[in-house]
């Protein structure tokens, strides 16, 4: 085979494919701008929009992480300053369990994210759906060790 007989047909379809791709790209950029505007303008009954709430969520999470991290460090110092006898006592074990619960809580806050999913199923349904992955309500460990 020295030459593709169907080259002109492939070339024509490829050129049309490229034009369609350019149009899709232009429309996606336009849609992106409209969605940004829509997200800023869409508010709940309290007047909050999604961007503001996501920012507030991150701010609160970071604030909690900072305080819990400091508290965990203080717990570790307190535990380390106690005698081995106290550490192996009932109170020491309870304290250590309490400390571990707060270490786990810190890890949970570090991993906690709110995700917004944009599901585009254009090929099958020609539609876009939006969903969010909100972390489950997190219960804090107790305020003090349970002796």
């Amino acid at each position: 085979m020295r030459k593709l007989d169907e080259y002109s047909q492939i070339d024509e379809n490829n050129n049309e494919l490229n034009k369609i791709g350019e149009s899709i790209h232009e429309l996606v950029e336009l849609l992106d701008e409209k969605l940004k505007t829509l997200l800023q303008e869409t508010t709940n009954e309290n007047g909050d929009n999604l961007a503001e709430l996501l920012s507030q969520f991150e701010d609160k999470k970071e604030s909690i992480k900072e305080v819990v991290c400091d508290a965990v460090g203080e717990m570790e110092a307190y535990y380390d300053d106690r005698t081995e006898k106290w550490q192996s006592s009932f109170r020491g074990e309870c304290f250590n369990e309490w400390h571990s619960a707060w270490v786990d809580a810190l890890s949970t806050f570090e991993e906690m994210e709110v995700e917004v999913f944009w599901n585009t199923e254009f090929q099958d349904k020609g539609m876009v759906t939006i969903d969010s992955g909100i972390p489950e309500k997190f219960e804090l460990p107790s305020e003090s060790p349970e002796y």
Side-chain angles (χ1 to χ4, degrees), residues 2 22 44 47 61 63 91 100 102 122 127 137 143:
R2 299 185 141 256
E22 289 173 14
N44 63 13
K61 182 180 82 169
S63 176
R91 285 182 160 277
S100 293
W102 279 104
F122 287 111
M127 62 188 300
K137 184 177 178 182
E143 184 177 4

Side-chain angles (χ1 to χ4, degrees), residues 15-55:
N15 288 335
E16 289 178 26
L17 186 68
N18 287 332
K19 286 179 188 176
I20 293 168
E22 289 173 14
S23 293
I24 289 172
H25 182 73
E26 290 172 8
L27 287 170
V28 167
E29 286 182 352
L30 180 62
L31 183 59
D32 183 55
E33 287 301 314
K34 287 186 177 190
L35 281 173
K36 286 177 187 175
T37 301
L38 181 63
L39 286 173
Q40 291 171 350
E41 293 173 353
T42 304
T43 59
N44 63 13
E45 59 192 34
N46 296 327
D48 300 316
N49 70 35
L50 184 60
E52 291 169 349
L53 291 175
L54 290 172
S55 178

Side-chain angles (χ1 to χ4, degrees), residues 70-126:
D70 290 345
V72 165
E74 289 174 18
M75 289 174 195
E76 290 169 358
Y78 178 83
Y79 183 83
D80 290 343
D81 286 345
R82 306 299 286 194
T83 65
E84 284 184 31
K85 183 178 178 182
W86 181 88
Q87 290 175 358
S88 61
S89 73
F90 175 74
R91 285 182 160 277
E93 289 178 8
C94 288
F95 186 91
N96 197 32
E97 288 175 15
W98 179 62
H99 167 261
S100 293
W102 279 104
V103 169
D104 291 345
L106 180 59
S107 177
T108 297
F109 285 115
E110 288 173 341
E111 295 170 3
M112 191 179 285
E113 291 183 0
V114 174
E115 297 177 322
V116 178
F117 304 96
W118 303 85
N119 185 11
T120 56
E121 297 182 20
F122 287 111
Q123 293 181 349
D124 294 334
K125 300 178 183 175

